[in-house]
Amino acid sequence: MTALLITGGSGLLGVNWAIHRRHVDDVHLVLHSRDVAINGVKSHHIDLLDLKATTDLLEDVSPDVVIHTAGLTNIEECEINPQKSEIANYLIARNVAKVCASCSCKLVHISTDHLFEGNSPKATEETVPNPQNVYATHKLAAEEAVLEVCPAALVVRTNFMGRGPSYRRSFSDKIKDTLEADNHIHSFDDVFFSPMSIKRLIDLVHKVLKKDFVGRLHIGSGERISKYDLTVKLAEAYGFNGDCVQPVQAARLRNSVKRPLDLSLSSKLLEDLLSIA
């Protein structure tokens, strides 16, 4: 049984990762302020900004793998409060990587698909990043710091979907909630990405871990789809007519936060690594 330590234990990905792996691994969740109780999972409340506390935890748990999902993903909040973003998305990631390196345990650092300018489809691991906002800037800095202090880390760039806990609604949850309340929703037909289910992401990461791959890896669905087309599919899956979804253009909106329009990722390296047809 693998000892698995998951940071960001109250987040969408952290909670789902713990639930999905608790029957096959010895799972430990790292929490900050919110209490999360999951049967078969051990919880630990610490401040990951505290290097000594983080070191003590890893020495106590002795994890085989640390999955670092903690971070601030609200792009508007990052823009308004860049110091908070720097702490949550960069400094904590660097700390976790330092401790993993000193404790000789495997680190999986969860990054993002927001790193690029977004003017061309299916970015590869070789595509030069060009962050467009504070969130992306700090996530890229985190990648660089993680691989500098912990060269054996696996850095996963991805976008995922799944059911969130009651206190944190996911992208698909919000679509369902909106349709049930208003019977219509607007979605961007000029924003493209390559999301995959959380369960599929988790399974793929653990398969990659068996390959001892290190460095940056794109893990996406392999499909480039607009948010509008995905919303239509989800609406129909929830029992609504696709006509309930109305297209809008992100490029026409006046928004204080600049965002890339094409976040799609190429998963060719992943497919070759795992021999996925």
Side-chain angles (χ1 to χ4, degrees):
M1 180 176 284
T2 298
L4 195 64
L5 183 72
I6 304 169
T7 72
S10 64
L12 172 66
L13 184 56
V15 166
N16 276 277
W17 210 304
I19 291 172
H20 187 56
R21 297 295 300 187
R22 60 181 168 166
H23 299 301
V24 293
D25 293 326
D26 176 22
V27 178
H28 297 254
L29 272 185
V30 179
L31 304 168
H32 186 221
S33 56
R34 185 181 292 276
D35 290 324
V36 175
I38 301 173
N39 289 336
V41 175
K42 304 174 186 68
S43 296
H44 308 266
H45 283 81
I46 68 162
D47 181 1
L48 291 170
L49 201 57
D50 185 330
L51 195 60
K52 183 180 184 305
T54 305
T55 301
D56 289 345
L57 177 63
L58 263 72
E59 289 180 348
D60 180 52
V61 173
S62 297
D64 299 294
V65 182
V66 172
I67 311 291
H68 181 59
T69 77
L72 178 62
T73 59
N74 186 310
I75 295 178
E76 285 77 13
E77 188 174 354
C78 289
E79 205 74 18
I80 294 169
N81 194 337
Q83 184 178 15
K84 186 176 181 180
S85 174
E86 181 182 29
I87 291 170
N89 293 321
Y90 167 63
L91 295 177
I92 285 177
R94 186 179 65 181
N95 264 10
V96 171
K98 284 181 179 179
V99 177
C100 286
S102 66
C103 295
S104 300
C105 74
K106 182 68 177 179
L107 170 63
V108 178
H109 171 75
I110 302 299
S111 189
T112 180
D113 58 355
H114 277 71
L115 303 177
F116 307 100
E117 188 172 356
N119 55 7
S120 58
K122 292 199 172 184
T124 72
E125 290 81 0
E126 308 306 319
T127 302
V128 178
N130 185 9
Q132 300 295 295
N133 50 53
V134 169
Y135 168 73
T137 298
H138 288 146
K139 292 295 285 186
L140 179 60
E143 284 191 5
E144 294 168 348
V146 164
L147 291 174
E148 178 182 358
V149 302
C150 187
L154 168 63
V155 173
V156 175
R157 294 170 174 169
T158 189
N159 191 305
F160 49 84
M161 298 187 309
R163 294 183 61 183
S166 59
Y167 55 83
R168 183 163 299 176
R169 306 301 282 164
S170 68
F171 173 76
S172 53
D173 291 333
K174 290 176 182 177
I175 290 171
K176 184 178 181 182
D177 293 345
T178 301
L179 288 171
E180 288 177 343
D182 299 330
N183 203 40
H184 77 279
I185 191 171
H186 292 88
S187 190
F188 299 128
D189 63 0
D190 60 345
V191 176
F192 297 87
F193 63 157
S194 307
M196 65 167 28
S197 74
I198 287 180
K199 181 180 181 300
R200 176 66 171 159
L201 170 62
I202 294 168
D203 287 341
L204 288 171
V205 167
H206 283 274
K207 288 179 180 179
V208 171
L209 284 171
K210 294 179 181 179
K211 298 288 186 177
D212 293 322
F213 181 90
V214 301
R216 296 177 173 91
L217 185 65
H218 292 184
I219 301 185
S221 63
E223 179 184 8
R224 176 179 179 267
I225 189 171
S226 72
K227 290 199 171 184
Y228 167 76
D229 286 333
L230 179 60
T231 303
V232 169
K233 288 185 177 183
L234 288 171
E236 292 174 346
Y238 292 141
F240 294 87
N241 190 299
D243 292 339
C244 293
V245 185
Q246 300 299 311
V248 291
Q249 290 74 49
R252 295 184 180 181
L253 297 181
R254 299 182 67 181
N255 195 308
S256 59
V257 183
K258 188 175 181 181
R259 299 168 183 255
L261 294 179
D262 198 324
L263 301 97
S264 60
L265 299 175
S266 168
S267 294
K268 181 66 166 56
L269 179 57
L270 170 74
E271 292 164 1
D272 290 345
L273 179 67
L274 299 182
S275 300
I276 300 173

